[in-house]
């Protein structure tokens, strides 16, 4: 895990959401959110943001990287002393398995209504219902 290079985050966003979201990353940086790049064998596999104990957005290059990335994010979020919070789209099965196997509880439900599928939401976690 290391500080999040904006170009890396934008590249992963293009894979997962179809756009680089430069403005969103600038917004989070100005607000003091902590962005982290996750490496495996020296290669970037994903990123996550922390705002106290709240994790997200988070994205990974492949679904298989979701659980290891979330394990790092949860450890770092827990170190803040705040309640750890994840927002997981229902189609991200790896993140759901991770959350339930880690003992996290379902505390809130929101709906994401789409007229057609987009991106790879099985590799993405939003920061909340208002900021996807």
């Amino acid at each position: 895990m290391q500080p999040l290079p904006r170009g890396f985050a934008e590249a992963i966003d293009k894979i997962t959401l179809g756009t680089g979201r430069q403005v969103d990353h600038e917004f989070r940086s100005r607000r003091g959110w902590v962005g982290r790049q996750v490496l495996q064998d020296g290669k970037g596999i994903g990123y996550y943001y922390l705002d106290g104990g709240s994790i997200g957005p988070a994205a990974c290059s492949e679904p298989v990287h979701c659980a290891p990335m979330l394990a790092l994010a949860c450890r770092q979020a827990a170190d803040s002393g705040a309640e750890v919070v994840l927002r997981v789209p229902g189609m991200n099965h790896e993140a759901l398995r991770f959350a339930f196997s880690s003992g996290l509880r379902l505390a809130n439900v929101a709906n994401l209504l789409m007229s057609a599928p987009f991106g790879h939401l099985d590799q993405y976690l939003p920061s909340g219902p208002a900021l996807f």
Side-chain angles (χ1 to χ4, degrees):
M1 159 180 66
Q2 64 182 31
L4 179 59
R6 189 162 295 141
F8 174 78
E10 291 173 14
I12 293 290
D13 285 343
K14 285 181 183 174
I15 293 168
T16 57
L17 300 173
T19 183
R21 301 175 9 148
Q22 177 182 2
V23 171
D24 295 335
H25 292 287
E26 291 170 0
F27 169 80
R28 288 179 179 92
S29 181
R30 283 193 313 271
R31 302 280 304 198
W33 295 18
V34 177
R36 293 285 181 244
Q37 179 183 28
V38 180
L39 303 173
Q40 182 178 44
D41 299 324
K43 180 182 176 198
I45 60 167
Y47 76 84
Y48 61 87
Y49 279 92
L50 293 175
D51 183 25
S54 184
I55 300 166
C60 53
S61 58
E62 297 179 37
V64 69
H65 299 309
C66 193
M69 179 182 69
L70 288 176
L72 287 172
C74 283
R75 269 183 261 152
Q76 189 175 6
D79 287 345
S80 74
E83 177 182 41
V84 175
V85 176
L86 291 174
R87 292 163 190 89
V88 181
M91 60 283 293
N92 190 331
H93 297 172
E94 293 298 322
L96 289 171
R97 277 192 279 278
F98 169 82
F100 291 131
S101 70
S102 298
L104 298 176
R105 65 182 173 84
L106 180 62
N108 203 342
V109 177
N111 294 308
L112 173 62
L113 304 175
M114 300 182 288
S115 59
F118 73 93
H120 296 280
L121 296 181
D122 58 336
Q123 298 167 219
Y124 183 75
L125 287 90
S127 60
L131 292 173
F132 194 74

